[in-house]
Amino acid sequence: MEKNFYKYLLQKSRLNGTDLIAAERLRQIKEEGYSSTRDDEYWDEQLVEAAMVYAVSPYKVNHKKFCQIFWPKDWGKSWYKKHKDHRITQLIKAGALLAAEINRLLRIELEDIEREAEVSKVEEKEVPSNEWSLQEISELTKDTKPLWTRDELK
């Protein structure tokens, strides 16, 4: 299906690599359920490692050994869909996985920025000004009794 999908895209349009990667990412989301919520569950470069396996040429390295080393350890072997005969398909999948990882990292950065902004707002509200007017000081202290009297200090 996927190979035919790409052949169809290539025959019916003048898509470039970026378009094909975007189409694959959309296919992963719609057909396989790899949404941003699911991508956020991945950690420790898992999406990048999977992309590396797809990106490396099976003719340049011992691909089986490379897969054993770099395919994410807790991902099922059935998740790897070999396309030895179609190099473009491998690279499209690698690009889509990298796009997913970039989006995941961008979401983390955005959350950090939003969290920092919220902390700043709270700090602004909680931290009183260091500049007190005499009127504010006298208002705060008008009903207080001294801790000691002058006679007690003698």
Side-chain angles (χ1 to χ4, degrees):
M1 156 93 185
E2 291 164 10
K3 192 172 175 183
N4 294 336
F5 171 72
Y6 297 120
K7 278 186 178 179
Y8 172 80
L9 286 176
L10 288 170
Q11 290 169 348
K12 299 294 179 186
S13 65
R14 292 281 182 228
L15 297 178
N16 61 31
T18 306
D19 297 329
L20 292 170
I21 289 168
E24 168 61 12
R25 182 66 191 132
L26 188 61
R27 187 197 67 75
Q28 290 173 350
I29 293 167
K30 292 195 181 256
E31 292 180 19
E32 298 192 30
Y34 293 119
S35 65
S36 57
T37 304
R38 185 164 176 184
D39 291 342
D40 289 344
E41 295 172 7
Y42 300 128
W43 51 277
D44 198 28
E45 303 291 323
Q46 291 170 314
L47 293 167
V48 173
E49 289 172 344
M52 286 172 31
V53 171
Y54 281 111
V56 71
S57 173
Y59 307 107
K60 298 285 183 183
V61 297
N62 179 337
H63 206 256
K64 185 176 181 181
K65 190 168 191 134
F66 191 85
C67 288
Q68 290 170 346
I69 294 169
F70 290 104
W71 189 253
K73 304 296 181 239
D74 53 344
W75 287 22
K77 290 181 182 178
S78 64
W79 288 10
Y80 176 63
K81 296 169 185 107
K82 231 190 283 191
H83 294 281
K84 243 183 177 178
D85 57 330
H86 200 248
R87 185 73 180 121
I88 293 172
T89 302
Q90 287 181 293
L91 294 173
I92 290 168
K93 286 187 177 296
L97 285 162
L98 290 174
E101 176 67 3
I102 291 167
N103 290 340
R104 187 185 74 80
L105 294 173
L106 288 171
R107 283 190 299 278
I108 290 170
E109 282 192 23
L110 183 60
E111 287 172 8
D112 289 346
I113 290 168
E114 288 172 351
R115 192 173 18 260
E116 286 174 15
E118 286 300 314
V119 168
S120 296
K121 286 179 188 175
V122 169
E123 287 174 353
E124 286 173 13
K125 290 177 185 174
E126 291 179 355
V127 177
S129 169
N130 290 333
E131 298 177 15
W132 293 78
S133 70
L134 289 175
Q135 184 179 357
E136 289 172 317
I137 294 171
S138 60
E139 285 290 320
L140 288 171
T141 59
K142 70 179 178 182
D143 294 329
T144 59
K145 294 180 182 176
L147 296 174
W148 55 83
T149 65
R150 191 175 282 225
D151 291 337
E152 291 173 330
L153 291 174
K154 289 182 183 177

Coordinates of all heavy atoms in Angstrom, one line a residue, residues 76-127:
G76 N 8.7 -2.7 19.2 CA 8.6 -4.1 18.6 C 9.3 -4.1 17.3 O 9.4 -3.1 16.5
K77 N 9.9 -5.3 17.0 CA 10.5 -5.5 15.7 C 9.6 -5.3 14.5 O 9.9 -4.9 13.4 CB 11.3 -6.8 15.6 CG 12.5 -6.8 16.5 CD 13.2 -8.2 16.5 CE 14.3 -8.2 17.4 NZ 15.0 -9.4 17.5
S78 N 8.3 -5.7 14.8 CA 7.3 -5.6 13.7 C 7.0 -4.1 13.3 O 6.4 -3.9 12.3 CB 6.0 -6.3 14.2 OG 5.4 -5.6 15.3
W79 N 7.4 -3.2 14.2 CA 7.2 -1.8 13.8 C 8.1 -1.4 12.7 O 7.8 -0.4 12.0 CB 7.4 -0.9 15.0 CG 6.4 -1.0 16.1 CD1 5.4 -1.9 16.2 CD2 6.3 -0.1 17.2 NE1 4.6 -1.6 17.3 CE2 5.2 -0.6 18.0 CE3 7.0 1.0 17.7 CZ2 4.8 0.1 19.1 CZ3 6.6 1.6 18.8 CH2 5.5 1.1 19.6
Y80 N 9.2 -2.0 12.5 CA 10.1 -1.7 11.4 C 9.6 -2.3 10.1 O 9.5 -3.5 10.0 CB 11.6 -2.2 11.7 CG 12.5 -1.9 10.6 CD1 12.8 -0.6 10.2 CD2 13.1 -3.0 9.9 CE1 13.7 -0.4 9.2 CE2 14.0 -2.7 8.9 CZ 14.3 -1.4 8.5 OH 15.1 -1.2 7.5
K81 N 9.4 -1.4 9.2 CA 8.8 -1.8 7.9 C 9.9 -1.6 6.9 O 10.2 -0.5 6.5 CB 7.6 -1.1 7.6 CG 6.5 -1.4 8.6 CD 5.3 -0.5 8.4 CE 4.3 -0.7 9.5 NZ 4.2 0.3 10.5
K82 N 10.5 -2.7 6.5 CA 11.7 -2.7 5.6 C 11.2 -2.3 4.1 O 10.2 -2.8 3.7 CB 12.3 -4.1 5.5 CG 13.8 -4.0 5.7 CD 14.4 -5.4 5.4 CE 14.2 -6.4 6.5 NZ 15.0 -7.6 6.3
H83 N 12.0 -1.5 3.5 CA 11.7 -1.1 2.1 C 13.1 -1.1 1.4 O 13.5 -0.1 0.8 CB 11.1 0.3 2.0 CG 9.7 0.3 2.6 ND1 8.6 -0.1 1.9 CD2 9.3 0.8 3.8 CE1 7.6 0.0 2.7 NE2 7.9 0.6 3.9
K84 N 13.8 -2.2 1.5 CA 15.1 -2.3 0.9 C 15.1 -1.9 -0.6 O 16.0 -1.4 -1.1 CB 15.6 -3.7 1.0 CG 16.8 -3.8 1.9 CD 17.3 -5.3 1.9 CE 18.6 -5.4 2.7 NZ 19.0 -6.7 2.8
D85 N 14.0 -2.3 -1.3 CA 13.9 -2.1 -2.7 C 13.5 -0.7 -3.1 O 13.6 -0.3 -4.3 CB 12.9 -3.1 -3.3 CG 11.5 -2.9 -2.7 OD1 11.4 -2.5 -1.5 OD2 10.5 -3.2 -3.4
H86 N 13.1 0.2 -2.2 CA 12.7 1.5 -2.5 C 13.4 2.5 -1.6 O 12.8 2.8 -0.5 CB 11.2 1.6 -2.5 CG 10.7 2.8 -3.3 ND1 10.1 3.9 -2.7 CD2 10.8 3.1 -4.7 CE1 9.8 4.8 -3.7 NE2 10.2 4.3 -4.9
R87 N 14.5 3.0 -2.0 CA 15.3 4.0 -1.1 C 14.5 5.2 -0.8 O 14.6 5.7 0.4 CB 16.6 4.3 -1.9 CG 17.6 5.1 -1.1 CD 18.2 4.3 0.0 NE 19.1 5.1 0.7 CZ 19.0 5.3 2.1 NH1 18.1 4.8 2.8 NH2 19.9 6.1 2.6
I88 N 13.8 5.8 -1.7 CA 13.0 7.0 -1.4 C 12.0 6.8 -0.3 O 11.9 7.6 0.6 CB 12.3 7.5 -2.7 CG1 13.4 8.0 -3.7 CG2 11.4 8.7 -2.3 CD1 12.8 8.4 -5.0
T89 N 11.4 5.6 -0.3 CA 10.4 5.3 0.8 C 11.1 5.3 2.2 O 10.6 5.8 3.2 CB 9.7 4.0 0.5 OG1 9.1 4.1 -0.7 CG2 8.7 3.7 1.6
Q90 N 12.3 4.7 2.2 CA 13.0 4.7 3.5 C 13.3 6.1 4.0 O 13.2 6.4 5.2 CB 14.4 4.0 3.3 CG 14.2 2.5 3.2 CD 15.6 1.8 3.1 OE1 16.3 2.0 2.0 NE2 16.0 1.1 4.1
L91 N 13.8 7.0 3.1 CA 14.2 8.3 3.4 C 12.9 9.2 3.8 O 13.0 10.0 4.7 CB 14.9 9.0 2.3 CG 16.3 8.4 2.0 CD1 16.9 9.0 0.8 CD2 17.2 8.5 3.2
I92 N 11.8 8.9 3.2 CA 10.6 9.6 3.5 C 10.2 9.2 4.9 O 9.8 10.1 5.8 CB 9.4 9.3 2.5 CG1 9.7 9.9 1.2 CG2 8.1 9.7 3.0 CD1 8.8 9.4 0.0
K93 N 10.2 8.0 5.3 CA 9.9 7.5 6.6 C 10.9 8.1 7.7 O 10.4 8.6 8.7 CB 9.9 6.0 6.7 CG 8.7 5.4 6.1 CD 8.7 3.9 6.3 CE 7.5 3.2 5.7 NZ 6.3 3.7 6.3
A94 N 12.1 8.2 7.3 CA 13.1 8.8 8.2 C 12.8 10.2 8.5 O 12.8 10.7 9.6 CB 14.5 8.6 7.6
G95 N 12.5 11.0 7.4 CA 12.1 12.4 7.5 C 10.9 12.6 8.3 O 10.8 13.5 9.1
A96 N 9.9 11.8 8.2 CA 8.7 11.9 8.9 C 8.9 11.6 10.4 O 8.4 12.3 11.3 CB 7.6 11.0 8.4
L97 N 9.8 10.7 10.7 CA 10.1 10.4 12.1 C 10.9 11.6 12.7 O 10.7 12.0 13.9 CB 10.9 9.1 12.3 CG 10.1 7.8 12.1 CD1 11.0 6.7 11.8 CD2 9.3 7.6 13.3
L98 N 11.8 12.2 12.0 CA 12.5 13.3 12.4 C 11.6 14.5 12.6 O 11.7 15.3 13.6 CB 13.6 13.7 11.5 CG 14.8 12.7 11.4 CD1 15.8 13.1 10.3 CD2 15.5 12.7 12.8
A99 N 10.6 14.7 11.7 CA 9.6 15.8 11.9 C 8.8 15.6 13.2 O 8.6 16.5 13.9 CB 8.7 15.8 10.7
A100 N 8.5 14.3 13.5 CA 7.7 14.0 14.7 C 8.6 14.4 15.9 O 8.1 15.0 16.9 CB 7.3 12.6 14.7
E101 N 9.9 14.1 15.9 CA 10.7 14.4 17.0 C 10.9 15.9 17.2 O 10.9 16.4 18.3 CB 12.1 13.7 16.8 CG 13.1 14.0 17.9 CD 12.8 13.5 19.3 OE1 11.8 12.8 19.5 OE2 13.6 13.8 20.2
I102 N 11.1 16.6 16.1 CA 11.2 18.1 16.1 C 10.0 18.7 16.7 O 10.1 19.5 17.6 CB 11.5 18.6 14.7 CG1 12.9 18.2 14.2 CG2 11.3 20.2 14.7 CD1 13.1 18.5 12.8
N103 N 8.8 18.2 16.3 CA 7.5 18.7 16.9 C 7.4 18.4 18.3 O 7.0 19.2 19.1 CB 6.4 18.2 16.1 CG 6.3 18.7 14.7 OD1 6.8 19.8 14.4 ND2 5.6 18.0 13.8
R104 N 7.9 17.2 18.7 CA 7.8 16.8 20.2 C 8.7 17.8 21.0 O 8.3 18.3 22.0 CB 8.3 15.4 20.3 CG 8.1 14.8 21.7 CD 8.7 13.4 21.8 NE 10.2 13.5 21.8 CZ 10.9 13.7 22.9 NH1 10.4 14.0 24.0 NH2 12.2 13.8 22.8
L105 N 9.9 18.0 20.5 CA 10.8 18.9 21.2 C 10.3 20.3 21.3 O 10.5 21.0 22.3 CB 12.2 18.9 20.6 CG 12.9 17.5 20.7 CD1 14.2 17.5 19.9 CD2 13.2 17.2 22.2
L106 N 9.7 20.8 20.2 CA 9.1 22.1 20.2 C 8.0 22.3 21.2 O 7.9 23.3 21.9 CB 8.6 22.5 18.8 CG 9.6 22.8 17.7 CD1 9.0 22.9 16.3 CD2 10.4 24.0 18.0
R107 N 7.2 21.2 21.3 CA 6.1 21.2 22.3 C 6.7 21.3 23.7 O 6.2 22.0 24.6 CB 5.2 20.0 22.2 CG 4.2 20.1 21.1 CD 3.2 18.9 21.1 NE 3.8 17.6 21.0 CZ 4.1 17.0 19.9 NH1 4.0 17.6 18.7 NH2 4.6 15.8 19.9
I108 N 7.8 20.6 24.0 CA 8.4 20.6 25.3 C 9.0 22.1 25.6 O 8.8 22.6 26.7 CB 9.6 19.6 25.4 CG1 9.0 18.2 25.4 CG2 10.5 19.9 26.6 CD1 10.0 17.1 25.3
E109 N 9.6 22.6 24.6 CA 10.1 24.0 24.7 C 9.0 25.0 25.0 O 9.1 25.9 25.8 CB 11.0 24.4 23.5 CG 12.3 23.8 23.5 CD 13.2 24.5 22.5 OE1 13.0 25.6 22.0 OE2 14.2 23.8 22.1
L110 N 7.9 24.9 24.3 CA 6.8 25.8 24.5 C 6.2 25.6 25.9 O 5.9 26.6 26.5 CB 5.7 25.5 23.4 CG 4.5 26.4 23.4 CD1 4.9 27.9 23.2 CD2 3.5 26.0 22.4
E111 N 6.1 24.4 26.3 CA 5.6 24.2 27.7 C 6.5 24.8 28.7 O 6.1 25.4 29.7 CB 5.5 22.7 28.0 CG 4.3 22.0 27.3 CD 4.3 20.5 27.4 OE1 5.2 19.9 28.2 OE2 3.5 19.8 26.8
D112 N 7.8 24.7 28.5 CA 8.8 25.3 29.4 C 8.7 26.8 29.4 O 8.7 27.5 30.5 CB 10.2 24.9 29.0 CG 10.6 23.5 29.3 OD1 9.8 22.8 30.1 OD2 11.6 23.0 28.8
I113 N 8.5 27.4 28.2 CA 8.3 28.9 28.1 C 7.1 29.3 28.8 O 7.1 30.3 29.6 CB 8.3 29.3 26.7 CG1 9.7 29.1 26.1 CG2 7.8 30.7 26.5 CD1 9.8 29.2 24.5
E114 N 6.0 28.6 28.6 CA 4.7 28.9 29.3 C 4.8 28.8 30.8 O 4.3 29.6 31.5 CB 3.6 28.0 28.7 CG 3.2 28.4 27.3 CD 2.2 27.5 26.6 OE1 2.0 26.4 27.2 OE2 1.7 27.8 25.5
R115 N 5.5 27.7 31.2 CA 5.6 27.5 32.7 C 6.5 28.6 33.3 O 6.1 29.1 34.4 CB 6.3 26.1 32.9 CG 6.2 25.7 34.3 CD 6.7 24.2 34.6 NE 7.5 23.6 33.6 CZ 7.1 22.7 32.7 NH1 5.8 22.4 32.7 NH2 7.9 22.2 31.8
E116 N 7.5 29.0 32.6 CA 8.4 30.1 33.1 C 7.6 31.4 33.2 O 7.7 32.2 34.1 CB 9.6 30.3 32.2 CG 10.6 29.2 32.4 CD 11.8 29.3 31.4 OE1 11.9 30.4 30.8 OE2 12.5 28.4 31.3
A117 N 6.7 31.7 32.2 CA 5.9 32.9 32.2 C 4.9 32.8 33.3 O 4.7 33.9 34.0 CB 5.1 33.0 30.8
E118 N 4.3 31.7 33.6 CA 3.4 31.6 34.8 C 4.1 31.8 36.1 O 3.6 32.5 37.0 CB 2.7 30.2 34.8 CG 1.7 30.0 33.7 CD 0.5 31.0 33.8 OE1 0.0 31.2 35.0 OE2 0.2 31.6 32.8
V119 N 5.3 31.3 36.2 CA 6.1 31.5 37.4 C 6.4 32.9 37.6 O 6.3 33.5 38.7 CB 7.4 30.6 37.4 CG1 8.4 31.0 38.5 CG2 7.1 29.1 37.5
S120 N 6.8 33.6 36.5 CA 7.1 35.0 36.6 C 5.9 35.8 37.0 O 6.0 36.7 37.8 CB 7.6 35.5 35.2 OG 8.8 34.9 34.8
K121 N 4.7 35.5 36.5 CA 3.5 36.2 36.9 C 3.3 36.0 38.4 O 2.9 37.0 39.1 CB 2.3 35.7 36.1 CG 2.2 36.1 34.7 CD 1.0 35.6 34.0 CE 1.0 35.9 32.5 NZ -0.1 35.2 31.9
V122 N 3.4 34.8 38.9 CA 3.2 34.5 40.3 C 4.2 35.3 41.2 O 3.9 35.9 42.2 CB 3.3 33.0 40.6 CG1 3.4 32.7 42.1 CG2 2.1 32.3 40.0
E123 N 5.5 35.3 40.7 CA 6.5 36.0 41.5 C 6.3 37.5 41.5 O 6.5 38.1 42.6 CB 7.9 35.7 40.9 CG 8.4 34.3 41.2 CD 9.7 34.0 40.4 OE1 10.2 34.8 39.6 OE2 10.2 32.9 40.7
E124 N 5.8 38.0 40.4 CA 5.5 39.4 40.4 C 4.4 39.8 41.4 O 4.4 40.8 42.1 CB 5.0 39.9 39.0 CG 6.1 39.9 38.0 CD 5.6 40.2 36.6 OE1 4.4 40.6 36.4 OE2 6.4 40.0 35.7
K125 N 3.4 38.9 41.6 CA 2.3 39.2 42.5 C 2.7 39.0 43.9 O 2.3 39.7 44.8 CB 1.1 38.2 42.2 CG 0.4 38.6 40.9 CD -0.7 37.6 40.6 CE -1.3 37.8 39.3 NZ -2.3 36.8 38.9
E126 N 3.6 38.0 44.2 CA 3.9 37.7 45.6 C 5.0 38.5 46.2 O 5.1 38.6 47.4 CB 4.3 36.2 45.6 CG 3.1 35.3 45.4 CD 3.5 33.8 45.4 OE1 4.7 33.5 45.6 OE2 2.6 33.0 45.3
V127 N 5.9 39.1 45.3 CA 7.0 39.8 45.9 C 6.6 41.3 46.1 O 6.3 42.0 45.1 CB 8.2 39.7 44.9 CG1 9.4 40.6 45.4 CG2 8.7 38.3 44.7

